[in-house]
Amino acid sequence: MNAKKYVEKTFEEMKQRNDGQIEFHQAVEEVFKSLIPVFEKHPEYIENGILERIVEPERQLMFRVPWVDDNGNVKVNRGFRIQFNSAIGPYKGGLRLHPTVNLSIIKFLGFEQIFKNSLTGLPIGGGKGGSDFDPKGKSDGEIMRFCQSFMTELCKYIGQYMDVPAGDIGVGGREIGYLFGQYKRLKSTYEAGVLTGKGLNYGGSLVRKEATGYGLIYFVDEMLKGKGMSFKDKKVVVSGSGNVAIYAMEKAQQLGAKVIACSDSNGYIYDKNGIDLDTVKKIKEVERKRIKEYIKYHKDAEYHEEHRGIWTIQCDIALPCATQNEINEQEAKVLIENGVIAVGEGANMPSTLDAVNVFLQNGVLFGPAKAANAGGVAVSALEMSQNSMRYSWTFEEVDERLNNIMKNIYINTVKCAEEYGYKDNYVVGANIAGFLKVADAMLAQGIV
Ligand code: NDP
């Protein structure tokens, strides 16, 4: 069958089978379109039904998560774990706790994770999970009881050789601690490699907290260097003020950039003097408050309601680090009118397909999520290595490995883009580079 027809037919069948799962359709569409030139060169992938198989999760789990709030009321949330592809290693991917979580969102994230994990060069398959539980405003006790209930069901399906969850939106060190404690209690075993993002005193890795943000900056730095530029003196805007955003800001500042804005889901702050990261960390990591608090400490700074307004600020480099579809076509155009030269996706699928096209057509250096934010999962895999060795590397050792991994992702992305006739298109390059390793492993392992 003709490659284009094969891809279109498989995409239509996937849409019918997963009716209404719009985020999942969006993620699949982007990857599938990039792969047409691959199928033209490699009919064996068509003959072995690689695309039909890769788009169907190996296993999908949905379960009830009952818990009791501080007032004694019974609450029920829905838990998810999508074990998408284990061709190159155990399923690996974060857990998201956010009221918007549904099957479509977890499937889009799990699908992306297959290719991202492959790009890291490390032996990890793709998976993702989470719940529609809203951690905002919950007490520590409520968070703990929710995590314990969630793990009571999830523990049946995970393990260091099977599926290794980590954090994502709403899941940081505190939540991983509660999840790990409950897993250990239920299984009566100290299986450190079952979760990543653990605390440093019980099997965590140095640099895991910083990894996604730092990795994003390492990747964007490679893109800039490839065109004879650097972060030095560049004006940078970062959406979000969570784990990815904070450490992206930190590394960008270390490389000489001036970060002038960041946000949360309520609004954004603009500080023409450059964001003071200690204040942001205090508000977000310690006090768990809203970003609006920043203007109490910095009188020159401005706060604006409506977080998407952040894309109207004039900047050289834009780093969306909050959530999916946070930059649309119109916002992409405004960024270009204001002179943006590079966009690096710290969040997963933060740009709509139309926005991506606007960036690519206008020659913006565009680092797609599965390449640019792969640093988090890469250091998670390094955490698994350290757990297996029962040994830990220093901050510098892990950071150097992370930096090398991000450089290699950039090199492979550029190489694949060129090889398949899409020079400077890192979307196509990353999709192809990630796909080839998984597809070849699937070919080698037969029809499973
Ligand atoms: P956090 O929960 O630490 O922070 C998320 C940030 O984004 C917060 O500032 C939050 O604001 C904001 N945000 C969340 N949802 C929305 C929304 N619907 N609209 C606007 N703002 C929103 O999450 P992370 O930093 O870990 O994750 C951010 C992104 O990075 C996600 O897309 C995640 O999938 C991706 N990612 C994370 C990795 C990791 O290692 N943590 C690895 C790779 C990708 P508020 O506090 O108001 O909710």
Side-chain angles (χ1 to χ4, degrees):
M1 192 193 289
N2 160 296
K4 189 161 178 281
K5 279 208 177 115
Y6 169 63
V7 169
E8 284 169 359
K9 178 173 161 289
T10 315
F11 182 66
E12 278 315 311
E13 286 169 1
M14 180 282 304
K15 268 173 80 175
Q16 280 172 24
R17 195 182 238 185
N18 300 285
D19 195 25
Q21 297 178 8
I22 46 174
E23 293 85 1
F24 180 48
H25 298 175
Q26 184 184 337
V28 172
E29 185 176 356
E30 188 217 89
V31 172
F32 272 25
K33 274 191 182 152
S34 305
L35 295 178
I36 295 171
V38 176
F39 293 112
E40 280 164 356
K41 267 197 187 173
H42 295 280
E44 68 275 20
Y45 294 146
I46 304 182
E47 287 147 21
N48 285 277
I50 295 289
L51 218 46
E52 294 92 321
R53 287 193 283 141
I54 216 165
V55 82
E56 184 67 23
E58 290 175 14
R59 192 173 296 112
Q60 309 188 45
L61 304 159
M62 281 171 71
F63 49 92
R64 180 168 71 201
V65 189
W67 56 282
V68 180
D69 73 12
D70 287 345
N71 299 319
N73 301 312
V74 174
K75 301 279 176 183
V76 178
N77 285 100
R78 183 172 284 173
F80 299 88
R81 186 71 185 166
I82 302 296
Q83 299 180 331
F84 225 117
N85 191 297
S86 63
I88 62 170
Y91 311 108
K92 180 93 198 83
L95 297 171
R96 175 176 292 192
L97 299 183
H98 196 272
T100 55
V101 162
N102 58 33
L103 188 59
S104 170
I105 290 193
I106 299 299
K107 280 173 73 177
F108 114 65
L109 290 163
F111 185 71
E112 288 278 295
Q113 201 80 43
I114 304 171
F115 308 101
K116 180 190 307 191
N117 292 3
S118 163
L119 279 171
T120 66
L122 300 167
I124 38 178
K128 198 84 188 187
S131 172
D132 57 1
F133 172 80
D134 186 358
K136 266 199 209 106
K138 301 289 188 300
S139 69
D140 263 6
E142 289 173 326
I143 299 279
M144 183 180 74
R145 290 195 293 282
F146 171 83
C147 287
Q148 290 178 339
S149 180
F150 185 84
M151 182 52 89
T152 301
E153 185 59 24
L154 187 70
C155 75
K156 300 167 191 166
Y157 313 102
I158 61 174
Q160 61 174 329
Y161 298 114
M162 186 186 183
D163 184 356
V164 183
D168 189 78
I169 292 178
V171 176
R174 173 181 60 169
E175 292 74 18
I176 293 290
Y178 294 147
L179 291 164
F180 184 72
Q182 182 73 349
Y183 183 85
K184 185 164 65 68
R185 175 197 202 185
L186 291 165
K187 294 277 180 167
S188 302
T189 175
Y190 204 101
E191 190 188 333
V194 69
L195 285 170
T196 59
K198 297 182 294 295
L200 294 175
N201 46 6
Y202 65 94
S205 173
L206 287 159
V207 196
R208 176 61 190 89
K209 186 173 67 172
E210 295 83 357
T212 311
Y214 279 20
L216 169 67
I217 301 303
Y218 294 149
F219 187 89
V220 174
D221 196 36
E222 290 302 313
M223 292 201 303
L224 293 169
K225 281 191 209 150
K227 301 291 172 196
M229 297 183 281
S230 77
F231 266 102
K232 183 115 189 53
D233 297 328
K234 296 290 184 303
K235 270 196 250 170
V236 177
V237 162
V238 180
S239 65
S241 49
N243 174 263
V244 180
I246 286 177
Y247 293 95
M249 291 194 265
E250 183 167 285
K251 186 52 75 177
Q253 288 179 346
Q254 284 173 12
L255 296 188
K258 187 171 186 184
V259 182
I260 51 173
C262 69
S263 60
D264 62 19
S265 56
N266 293 114
Y268 69 90
I269 51 164
Y270 169 69
D271 189 341
K272 64 177 187 324
N273 302 323
I275 297 283
D276 181 67
L277 212 47
D278 287 340
T279 308
V280 175
K281 283 185 183 176
K282 181 168 127 71
I283 296 168
K284 288 292 171 182
E285 293 188 332
V286 183
E287 297 171 354
R288 298 181 191 272
K289 287 191 175 155
R290 312 309 299 157
I291 200 66
K292 189 179 183 175
E293 299 283 313
Y294 185 90
I295 55 171
K296 284 191 190 159
Y297 302 94
H298 299 277
K299 298 297 173 204
D300 281 352
E302 299 166 17
Y303 174 74
H304 300 264
E305 297 282 346
E306 180 38 55
H307 61 95
R308 295 185 81 122
I310 199 168
W311 306 125
T312 60
I313 299 172
Q314 194 278 321
C315 65
D316 303 307
I317 298 170
L319 304 174
C321 294
T323 194
Q324 63 276 357
N325 292 329
E326 53 168 315
I327 303 183
N328 62 25
E329 185 180 9
Q330 191 47 38
E331 287 155 341
K333 285 181 179 160
V334 171
L335 279 165
I336 287 165
E337 278 162 22
N338 285 336
V340 77
I341 51 173
V343 175
E345 295 190 317
N348 283 310
M349 207 168 74
S351 319
T352 64
L353 290 173
D354 290 336
V356 175
N357 287 336
V358 169
F359 290 135
L360 294 176
Q361 282 159 10
N362 286 277
V364 172
L365 289 171
F366 181 75
K370 57 176 83 61
N373 74 23
V377 76
V379 174
S380 272
L382 298 180
E383 182 173 332
M384 291 162 72
S385 306
Q386 293 168 82
N387 293 150
S388 297
M389 289 190 295
R390 298 179 186 283
Y391 184 73
S392 42
W393 292 315
T394 63
F395 191 96
E396 289 70 28
E397 283 172 309
V398 182
D399 193 31
E400 193 186 339
R401 283 185 164 86
L402 168 65
N403 200 333
N404 285 334
I405 289 168
M406 298 315 295
K407 280 185 180 149
N408 283 333
I409 294 176
Y410 172 76
I411 291 166
N412 287 334
T413 298
V414 169
K415 199 173 115 228
C416 273
E418 279 187 21
E419 197 176 317
Y420 284 88
Y422 287 82
K423 191 171 181 309
D424 289 339
N425 184 329
Y426 306 138
V427 176
V428 171
N431 284 335
I432 295 179
F435 172 80
L436 289 175
K437 184 177 169 191
V438 178
D440 287 339
M442 287 174 74
L443 272 189
Q445 292 169 20
I447 310 296
V448 291

